[in-house]
């Protein structure tokens, strides 16, 4: 949505309250006023869309012990932590971004760990590479249809609305993202369990991913 600059005359006490509330919500004064006015006149905004999606993600993943929401979401971004059952239980961080502008690529998931272990970083990069190849193969997609980036133990993957899911509600988008994160975490656990047992990880990874394909309602 286009934005323009307008001049408003407001009471100082109102502005102080607005600034306090904006600070607690990790947003700006202008953005908060825009949200309040939009809600009052029933005009949907990108911020409200993002808020609805994040609330649904939170509702889905909060019921699992493996996930922890990291603080309130900021504008367009939320963070989720998961403990990986591997040596020293390293923390895996899932950062979810929802793009403000609409389009087929509507968001992104970034996965990282603060570990300094070179071996773990190498395992993570190996897992990310195997996962990307597996996902493209199992969904019969070619490179470029889904966009991945793997570097220095970090992974990113864009969320894309395919032709069959272009009209999802905000709640459905939240469900789709939450289910994807849950699946990704389970596939990662399967990979590291196989590594610990000195087994080939492909079979366990594929089993978890096919379970996701079988039961998920919307593929993103």
């Amino acid at each position: 949505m286009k934005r323009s600059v307008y001049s408003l005359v407001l009471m100082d006490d109102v502005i102080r309250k607005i600034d306090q509330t904006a600070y607690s919500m990790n947003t700006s004064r202008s953005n908060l006023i825009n949200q309040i006015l939009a809600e009052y006149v029933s005009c949907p905004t990108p911020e409200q869309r993002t808020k609805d999606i994040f609330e649904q993600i939170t509702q889905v993943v909060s019921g699992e012990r493996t996930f922890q929401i990291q603080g309130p979401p900021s504008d367009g971004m939320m963070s989720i932590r998961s403990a990986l059952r591997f040596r020293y239980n390293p923390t895996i961080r899932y950062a979810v971004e929802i793009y403000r502008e609409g389009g087929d690529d509507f968001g992104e998931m970034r996965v990282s760990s603060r570990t300094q272990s070179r071996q773990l970083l190498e395992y993570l990069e190996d897992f990310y590479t195997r996962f990307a190849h597996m996902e493209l193969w199992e969904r019969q997609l070619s490179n470029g249809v889904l966009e991945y980036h793997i570097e220095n133990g970090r992974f990113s993957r864009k969320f894309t609305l395919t032709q069959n899911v272009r009209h999802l509600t905000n709640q459905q988008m939240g469900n789709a993202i939450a289910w994807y994160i849950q699946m990704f975490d389970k596939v990662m656990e399967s990979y590291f369990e196989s590594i610990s047992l000195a087994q080939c990880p492909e079979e366990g990874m594929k089993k978890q991913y096919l379970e996701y394909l079988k039961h998920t309602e919307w593929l993103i």
Side-chain angles (χ1 to χ4, degrees), residues 13-216:
D13 289 345
V14 172
I15 287 298
R16 279 193 288 271
K17 289 291 185 181
I18 288 290
D19 288 345
Q20 291 171 6
T21 305
Y23 179 80
S24 69
M25 295 173 62
N26 293 320
T27 190
S28 65
R29 173 197 293 173
S30 296
N31 191 47
L32 178 57
I33 293 174
N34 188 72
Q35 291 182 46
I36 293 170
L37 294 175
E39 183 177 349
Y40 185 81
V41 298
S42 300
C43 177
T45 65
E47 289 79 14
Q48 185 59 49
R49 168 176 170 267
T50 298
K51 180 174 178 289
D52 291 344
I53 292 172
F54 285 165
E55 285 179 351
Q56 187 62 26
I57 294 173
T58 300
Q59 181 176 331
V60 174
V61 304
S62 292
E64 296 194 21
R65 292 182 303 167
T66 53
F67 294 111
Q68 180 182 28
I69 305 296
Q70 285 190 277
S74 59
D75 292 344
M77 184 77 70
M78 76 177 298
S79 181
I80 303 169
R81 291 194 307 179
S82 175
L84 181 64
R85 286 182 290 182
F86 193 62
R87 299 164 195 166
Y88 310 114
N89 294 319
T91 296
I92 301 297
R93 178 176 180 265
Y94 296 94
V96 179
E97 179 181 4
I98 302 299
Y99 301 150
R100 193 175 188 282
E101 301 300 326
D104 286 347
D105 291 335
F106 69 92
E108 184 175 348
M109 178 184 78
R110 294 190 283 273
V111 188
S112 62
S113 175
R114 297 182 65 179
T115 181
Q116 299 298 314
S117 168
R118 172 48 51 186
Q119 183 183 46
L120 179 57
L121 290 173
E122 290 175 355
Y123 280 145
L124 285 171
E125 289 203 20
D126 180 59
F127 164 71
Y128 298 148
T129 302
R130 290 174 186 263
F131 178 87
H133 290 163
M134 177 190 68
E135 181 164 50
L136 291 171
W137 175 261
E138 295 302 335
R139 289 181 57 176
Q140 299 181 351
L141 300 172
S142 59
N143 285 318
V145 176
L146 295 178
E147 187 174 334
Y148 306 91
H149 185 69
I150 301 167
E151 185 178 16
N152 297 326
R154 298 174 180 267
F155 173 90
S156 68
R157 195 265 210 197
K158 287 191 175 180
F159 292 130
T160 301
L161 293 176
T162 59
Q163 187 172 2
N164 294 330
V165 294
R166 282 187 178 149
H167 303 293
L168 294 183
T169 65
N170 296 341
Q171 183 182 46
Q172 289 168 338
M173 279 190 180
N175 281 332
I177 294 172
W179 295 337
Y180 190 88
I181 293 172
Q182 289 172 325
M183 173 276 296
F184 191 93
D185 203 66
K186 289 177 182 177
V187 176
M188 184 185 294
E189 286 284 358
S190 177
Y191 170 88
F192 279 96
E193 182 179 354
S194 297
I195 292 297
S196 298
L197 298 173
Q199 297 175 347
C200 183
E202 269 85 357
E203 183 176 349
M205 291 175 61
K206 181 178 178 180
K207 180 180 178 181
Q208 292 288 352
Y209 189 77
L210 291 180
E211 192 72 13
Y212 162 76
L213 292 183
K214 180 179 177 181
H215 292 101
T216 192

